[in-house]
Amino acid sequence: MRDLYQILGVERQASPDDIKKAYRSLAKKYHPDRNKDNAAIAEKFKEVSAAYHILGDEAQRGRYDRGEIDDQGNERHAYHDEWYAKPGGKGAGGFGFGGKGRSSGEGFDFEDTSDIFSEFFRFSGGRGRKGAAGDAGGAKPKGGPRRGLDVNYELTIGFEESISGGTRRLRLNDGRSVDIKIPEGIQDGQVIRLVGQGGPGTATALKGDALIEIRVAPHPYYTRDGLDILLELPISLDEAILGGDIEVPTPKGRLTIRIPKGSSSGKRLRLKGKGVKRRDEVGNMYVILKVMLPTERDLILEQLIRQWRGGNGADLRRKAGLS
């Protein structure tokens, strides 16, 4: 397993603020906009984003520290010496068990050991496909062939990857690895179903499915609203007053936009068709201006403001009903 703290370059006792600062620094360093056509850096960016998705969440971080989830956010199952799943053994579904008290490959009855499998696999709950009898997970009445259990996984991807799509490799609970196609425009919380990649069924029953819940890692400066992408853009006082052309990042490259003269904080500039594409739909990107004053005191600016007769703060507050 990868150590998520090492990936972010922080100590295990690091504060939430330290973790957030480390993530922002690394995300900017490895961002695809700064490292175009560099596959290794792109993978590093994904790795950093996935690490922050877990360590940046207090509850998830606690579960990771206690060993309840792995570095990908998947549930960790306790494989002891007494019991371990062995693909290809005798018995229902091609699985056998070995270890203390049993010979390797000894057959077993699935119905008698369903409690054991529940330790290895998590039920899919309401998302699971229903079988002929209507039971969650598709199980048939006791005594007949039983469809295999659905197995839940979580997979964390980067923001840009959720926009453009891609392919990810996932390690399944039985040790196999499968390539998963990430659809363009997928959202946080959506589930990808891999038919027949879950737990084994008995006799002639079908295998269960693997259900992969997608988690989109937070981005240093983009947020998403449906099919729209939002970017808060800091601008200086002179840019707000005089306007001008500014280069801004987008998930698919940098663009130059024109700031209108006299722009206030909160003004939204629309980049049509530069949002999320999902099937036949495409959203917009909105650049939200944020006017920033100098961080240090500027005596010349203060003098100019004193000479300026256009201040109308009281009128603005009155029109807004605040005075």
Side-chain angles (χ1 to χ4, degrees):
M1 280 180 55
R2 305 167 302 171
D3 188 300
L4 301 185
Y5 291 96
Q6 289 183 3
I7 291 174
L8 293 183
V10 297
E11 300 293 333
R12 296 191 73 87
Q13 62 270 23
S15 68
D17 284 343
D18 289 338
I19 289 175
K20 187 173 183 179
K21 289 177 183 177
Y23 164 66
R24 285 181 176 271
S25 176
L26 292 173
K28 291 178 181 178
K29 177 180 178 181
Y30 296 119
H31 195 276
D33 282 351
R34 297 187 177 186
N35 305 277
K36 294 187 177 182
D37 302 322
N38 190 326
I41 293 295
E43 285 301 315
K44 188 67 177 177
F45 180 79
K46 294 177 184 178
E47 184 179 52
V48 167
S49 297
Y52 180 68
H53 179 74
I54 293 176
L55 298 186
D57 182 283
E58 183 178 353
Q60 289 287 83
R61 180 184 180 184
R63 298 193 68 206
Y64 174 75
D65 289 344
R66 294 190 296 271
E68 297 173 8
I69 58 175
D70 63 15
D71 57 315
Q72 298 182 37
N74 295 322
E75 297 286 344
R76 295 188 65 189
H77 304 286
Y79 289 87
H80 302 292
D81 289 340
E82 289 81 0
W83 298 101
Y84 65 91
K86 178 182 178 183
K90 297 178 182 179
F95 272 73
F97 282 85
K100 296 178 182 179
R102 287 179 181 261
S103 61
S104 178
E106 180 181 349
F108 68 98
D109 180 75
F110 187 91
E111 293 180 11
D112 294 337
T113 56
S114 59
D115 57 331
I116 296 173
F117 267 85
S118 67
E119 292 297 320
F120 295 123
F121 302 121
R122 290 184 293 152
F123 283 99
S124 62
R127 292 192 300 266
R129 184 174 64 191
K130 292 192 174 183
D135 296 323
K140 289 189 176 183
K142 188 173 182 179
R146 297 179 60 176
R147 176 181 174 274
L149 301 178
D150 290 342
V151 187
N152 281 354
Y153 299 88
E154 280 191 3
L155 178 63
T156 300
I157 63 176
F159 186 91
E160 282 91 347
E161 193 175 2
S162 73
I163 303 300
S164 59
T167 302
R168 279 297 195 97
R169 176 156 289 191
L170 177 69
R171 185 175 65 250
L172 301 179
N173 281 358
D174 61 9
R176 293 181 298 118
S177 293
V178 295
D179 289 331
I180 302 170
K181 181 176 176 58
I182 306 297
E184 186 178 41
I186 196 168
Q187 288 184 285
D188 183 79
Q190 283 191 276
V191 175
I192 297 174
R193 180 185 294 272
L194 302 183
V195 177
Q197 299 293 341
T202 61
T204 59
L206 297 174
K207 293 183 66 175
D209 300 336
L211 305 177
I212 299 94
E213 185 171 356
I214 298 298
R215 292 299 179 190
V216 179
H219 195 275
Y221 41 85
Y222 298 130
T223 56
R224 180 172 169 178
D225 182 12
L227 296 181
D228 295 330
I229 298 173
L230 310 179
L231 167 68
E232 188 176 71
L233 180 70
I235 62 173
S236 61
L237 183 60
D238 58 312
E239 289 173 328
I241 295 173
L242 303 176
D245 293 340
I246 299 179
E247 191 178 68
V248 298
T250 77
K252 295 186 179 180
R254 303 183 75 84
L255 292 175
T256 298
I257 64 172
R258 175 153 295 180
I259 306 297
K261 291 182 179 180
S263 293
S264 300
S265 281
K267 184 177 181 63
R268 294 160 66 100
L269 305 179
R270 185 180 69 162
L271 303 182
K272 187 176 181 180
K274 298 300 181 181
V276 181
K277 183 180 180 184
R278 189 172 57 198
R279 294 185 290 276
D280 296 331
E281 298 179 283
V282 62
N284 303 312
M285 180 169 174
Y286 290 92
V287 177
I288 304 168
L289 303 183
K290 182 179 181 181
V291 180
M292 306 291 291
L293 294 178
T295 56
E296 297 181 2
R297 186 177 181 183
D298 189 324
L299 296 179
I300 296 177
L301 178 60
E302 289 182 13
Q303 183 62 32
L304 291 173
I305 293 298
R306 288 192 185 97
Q307 296 173 359
W308 180 50
R309 301 300 180 185
N312 60 351
D315 289 341
L316 292 175
R317 289 185 288 277
R318 190 177 300 109
K319 289 178 180 179
L322 300 176
S323 63

